[in-house]
Every structure is written in C-alpha cells, then in structure tokens.
Amino acid sequence: MSKSIDLSVCGTKQVPFSEIKSVKTPESTDSWQPISHSFLVDRVSKQIEDNGWSIKDTYHSLHRFGQRYFGLFHVENTGSDAEDRGTIIGLRNSHDKCFPAGLCMGNAPFVCSNLIFTNEVVLARRHTKNILRDLNQVIARTLGQMTETWANDELRLSAYKEYGLDNKQANDLVIRAYQNGAISKAKIADVVEQWEKPEHEDFEERNMHSLYNAFTHVLKGGVHALPARSQALHGVLDSEVALVA
C-alpha cells in the first residue's frame, strides 16, 4: 500500500470541490480574462493524468470570499517517487487580479507531512484574453519544467543528509534564514526548539536535513506564503552546503 501525506496541515480551511465549482467567475474585459477556479483545477488534473501520473489526494481552499483559490495535489508515479517523501503540486488562481494563475512543486516527508516548495512557475503573465486558448499547452509546458527540477531536489536532500552540523552552526543558519526572509522573528525560537528536540526520530541526526525539517515543521501552514519562504530558505541552506543546481 502506498503512503499518504496529510494535506490538511496547510493551515487553511479545506472546502469540497463542489464549493470550488460554485464560485462565480467575473466578467472578462478587453485586457483581462479570468478563468474559473474549477476550470483550472480540471485542466491541471487532466494534464497530470495525461502525463501518466496519478492523483492520490487533493486539498482545496478559498479565500477572500472565493476570489482566491489555493489547492494541493499529492501525485504519484512521477518517476521521482521516494521511500520517505511524496511529491506535491500546488495550484493557485485569483479573480481579484492579486496574482496570476500559477503552479508550484514541492515535497513532504511521509513521517510528518511538513510541506515545502522547491519552485514556482507562473502559468501566464496575467489572465490575458488568450489564456483559455493557450491553457492546455501552458500547463503541459509548466509541468514539464517542474520535472526537470525534481532531480535537483533529490540532489539537494542527499547533500543535506551528508552535511553534518553542530548547535552553533545550526543557530547561525537560523539567524541567516530569518535575515533572508525565510522565517519571521517570532519563529526563530520555534525552529531552534525543533532542531534541539525534534518531534520525529527521523530527524535526530545532527545534519542539514534535520535542520531543514525543523524549518519545514515551523513553516507548515499558510500555503499561500510557502513558495516564497521556501525559496528564501533554500537560498541560505544551499549556499552553506555549496550546492550547485
């Protein structure tokens, strides 16, 4: 039996897909073509399946009275399945022009479901009038770009596991991560606590991988902010281990 990731840790209220489908899409203008949240979900789901991948679980959430959508897909059979981690695809869309439709790819360890994203790709510059015509091709190209990053992600995790740390180094990295925008000042103590007393024995080894999971434990929640936080964190930790993508 394949392992599952608990997608409910993303820190937002889950809603059924029927509620996503009930959200009314605003009228388009000459320069702006909004797309329905459910239409985007359906197109991404179909492309995932057309790629030969399978969707094990989904998570949908709405914000700002339905104007903003965030979703997660736990996907399998991607060619990068691992014993200890699962692949997550994040999806977003907006009807208030706050951000363009976008996809991001991440992973989560099965033992604790701490989610962090390794990249984010915008589906279109904005919701332009040709987005409906081009959407299928854009989604296919975007997912293809993501697959290219999965090999780099495996290299990253391997490098983290091989890079030993002591408490002083770990504390210094926590401060650098804060200065780089990966965590807020209020979360510094929480990361240090997870490093010193991890909740899962899988992360008791004193290496970068354990510190990485201390961060992801604290970062879980607020899926809309995770891509930017994740990018900032990778910038700090990758440079420490001299990782070249």
Side-chain angles (χ1 to χ4, degrees), residues 134-153:
D134 301 336
L135 191 59
N136 287 342
Q137 181 180 358
V138 171
I139 291 173
R141 186 170 63 248
T142 301
L143 291 177
Q145 291 173 349
M146 288 183 175
T147 60
E148 296 175 3
T149 72
W150 288 344
N152 291 333
D153 194 41

Side-chain angles (χ1 to χ4, degrees), residues 11-23:
T12 55
K13 181 182 178 182
Q14 183 176 13
V15 299
F17 187 58
S18 59
E19 188 168 336
I20 305 300
K21 292 192 291 185
S22 70
V23 175

Side-chain angles (χ1 to χ4, degrees), residues 2 6-7 10 15-16 33 45 54 66 68 72 86 103 139 148 157 163 193 225 231 233 235:
S2 60
D6 180 10
L7 298 180
C10 72
V15 299
Q33 173 64 68
S45 299
S54 59
R68 302 176 188 176
L72 300 173
L103 280 170
I139 291 173
E148 296 175 3
L157 294 177
Y163 194 89
E193 182 179 1
Q231 184 178 20
L233 179 60

Side-chain angles (χ1 to χ4, degrees), residues 96-116:
D96 59 1
K97 303 182 182 180
C98 178
F99 48 76
L103 280 170
C104 50
M105 185 276 290
N107 60 68
F110 291 119
V111 66
C112 60
S113 299
N114 294 350
L115 173 62
I116 196 162

Side-chain angles (χ1 to χ4, degrees), residues 10 21 43 60 63 66 70-71 82 102 109 133 139 203 207 214 227 240:
C10 72
K21 292 192 291 185
R43 287 296 182 271
H60 307 288
H63 303 263
F70 296 94
R133 181 196 68 191
I139 291 173
F203 310 129
N207 57 29
E240 179 67 20

